């Protein structure tokens, strides 16, 4: 789920500006309306962090944000789209605060960002569980799913674009197919965490291993050789998590962002 994307700021300068999902007509075009919209997003985030997505009702949210319930639907279209925008804003804000030791267009950069994101958001149980509940819900609008997948694509896309230029992507696959497969795998691993099958460190470790396995099969040349070498190194260190995951955990535990 994470390269460091461009992060436009809102007029207040405190949070990233978040566009309405496709198909939702923006109704806030004044400073007052923008402030009201941000207040709704902030209150939604607080409810999710406090009690999870299950307790989020539009009626209660309208009271907490001090707006009419009709305003919520006019601005965001549905509860799912509202939650999706909160997920997007929270993710991009946190990502913009993280400092990474590796470049986003390298294999090491993908691994570091993937591990750090898993370790950080794995400690925010209600947030990550909301991501999983929304993503795997059978009736969520396609625009919301697309928005969430785009967040994940951002992790591997700079690296894959480099490989595309160097012609190190398998001739049997497209870059878009690989992005999709890597995203499907990442969400599947996070789902295992959400239902309690694995812990946070195991989630990060499995996400990194899955990425490397896909990378080894979807690339050629030096990229494939590097993925295979990294997998071999991980096997030799089978007694503990991979170095990248270990480092990501220590950085987050120490409050490094």
């Amino acid at each position: 789920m994470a390269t460091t994307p461009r992060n436009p700021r809102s007029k207040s300068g405190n949070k990233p500006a978040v566009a309405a999902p496709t198909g939702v007509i923006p109704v806030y075009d004044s400073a007052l309306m923008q402030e009201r919209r941000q207040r709704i997003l902030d209150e939604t985030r607080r409810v999710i962090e406090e009690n999870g997505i299950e307790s989020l009702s539009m009626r209660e949210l309208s009271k907490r944000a001090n707006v009419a319930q009709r305003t919520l639907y006019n601005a965001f279209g549905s509860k799912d789209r509202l939650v999706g925008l909160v997920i997007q804003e929270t993710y991009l804000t946190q990502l913009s605060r993280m400092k990474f030791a590796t470049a986003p267009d390298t294999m090491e950069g993908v691994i570091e960002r993937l591990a750090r994101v898993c370790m950080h958001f794995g400690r925010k149980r209600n947030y990550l569980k909301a991501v999983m509940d929304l993503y795997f819900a059978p009736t969520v609008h396609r625009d919301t799913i697309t928005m969430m997948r785009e967040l994940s694509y951002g992790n591997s896309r700079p690296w894959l674009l480099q490989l595309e230029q160097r012609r190190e992507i398998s001739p049997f696959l497209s870059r878009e197919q690989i992005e999709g497969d890597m995203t499907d795998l990442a969400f599947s691993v996070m789902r295992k965490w959400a239902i309690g099958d694995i812990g946070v460190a195991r989630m990060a470790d499995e996400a990194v291993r899955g990425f490397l396995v896909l990378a080894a099969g979807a690339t050629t040349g030096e990229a494939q050789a590097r993925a295979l070498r990294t997998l071999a190194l991980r096997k030799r260190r089978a007694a503990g998590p991979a170095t990248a995951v270990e480092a990501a955990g220590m950085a987050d535990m120490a409050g490094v962002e």
Side-chain angles (χ1 to χ4, degrees):
M1 287 181 80
T3 188
T4 307
R6 293 180 180 270
N7 193 15
R9 312 302 290 181
S10 66
K11 293 183 180 180
S12 66
N14 295 325
K15 293 182 179 296
V18 179
T22 304
V24 180
I25 301 174
V27 298
Y28 295 111
D29 52 9
S30 70
L32 179 61
M33 292 300 185
Q34 288 287 352
E35 186 278 331
R36 183 181 299 174
R37 184 175 188 274
Q38 188 59 56
R39 189 167 71 245
I40 294 169
L41 290 170
D42 289 343
E43 285 300 328
T44 304
R45 187 186 68 255
R46 291 189 188 100
V47 172
I48 292 173
E49 290 176 351
E50 290 167 7
N51 304 306
I53 195 174
E54 296 88 351
S55 65
L56 181 64
S57 85
M58 296 295 262
R59 183 186 300 275
E60 180 61 28
L61 183 58
S62 67
K63 294 178 181 177
R64 289 184 57 149
N66 194 28
V67 298
Q69 193 169 342
R70 180 179 178 181
T71 299
L72 298 179
Y73 286 103
N74 286 343
F76 300 103
S78 69
K79 172 182 169 180
D80 290 343
R81 284 176 168 171
L82 173 57
V83 172
L85 282 172
V86 169
I87 288 170
Q88 181 189 58
E89 181 184 77
T90 302
Y91 178 82
L92 293 178
T93 298
Q94 181 57 42
L95 203 61
S96 71
R97 294 172 179 167
M98 287 181 170
K99 295 188 172 49
F100 299 103
T102 53
D105 59 354
T106 64
M107 180 179 293
E108 293 78 11
V110 178
I111 291 172
E112 182 188 8
R113 285 157 179 78
L114 184 57
R116 289 281 301 279
V117 165
C118 285
M119 295 297 291
H120 177 83
F121 288 108
R123 299 202 310 275
K124 296 180 178 293
R125 182 167 186 82
N126 284 337
Y127 170 83
L128 191 52
K129 192 171 184 302
V131 174
M132 295 297 99
D133 289 347
L134 188 62
Y135 186 79
F136 286 101
T139 58
V140 176
H141 196 281
R142 181 175 294 275
D143 290 342
T144 302
I145 296 297
T146 299
M147 178 176 63
M148 296 173 70
R149 289 182 69 83
E150 279 294 328
L151 294 177
S152 179
Y153 293 159
N155 183 46
S156 60
R157 183 170 287 163
W159 173 65
L160 288 171
L161 287 171
Q162 282 278 1
L163 298 189
E164 199 170 44
Q165 290 180 359
R166 301 203 303 261
R167 299 181 182 275
E168 291 185 11
I169 287 179
S170 169
F172 307 110
L173 296 168
S174 69
R175 173 179 57 81
E176 292 79 8
Q177 287 173 324
I178 300 170
E179 283 180 351
D181 289 346
M182 288 180 171
T183 291
D184 289 341
L185 177 66
F187 277 115
S188 295
V189 172
M190 291 177 191
R191 179 65 172 170
K192 289 173 67 176
W193 169 87
I195 63 177
D197 282 357
I198 56 177
V200 175
R202 177 76 176 275
M203 172 175 64
D205 192 57
E206 287 195 11
V208 169
R209 186 184 70 235
F211 160 74
L212 287 168
V213 169
L214 282 174
T219 61
T220 62
E222 175 56 28
Q224 184 181 56
R226 185 183 292 270
L228 291 171
R229 286 197 301 268
T230 307
L231 281 168
L233 180 63
R234 285 172 56 87
K235 185 175 181 180
R236 290 197 295 269
R237 296 176 177 174
T243 302
V245 175
E246 207 169 30
M250 289 189 292
D252 269 350
M253 294 296 181
V256 176
E257 298 191 323

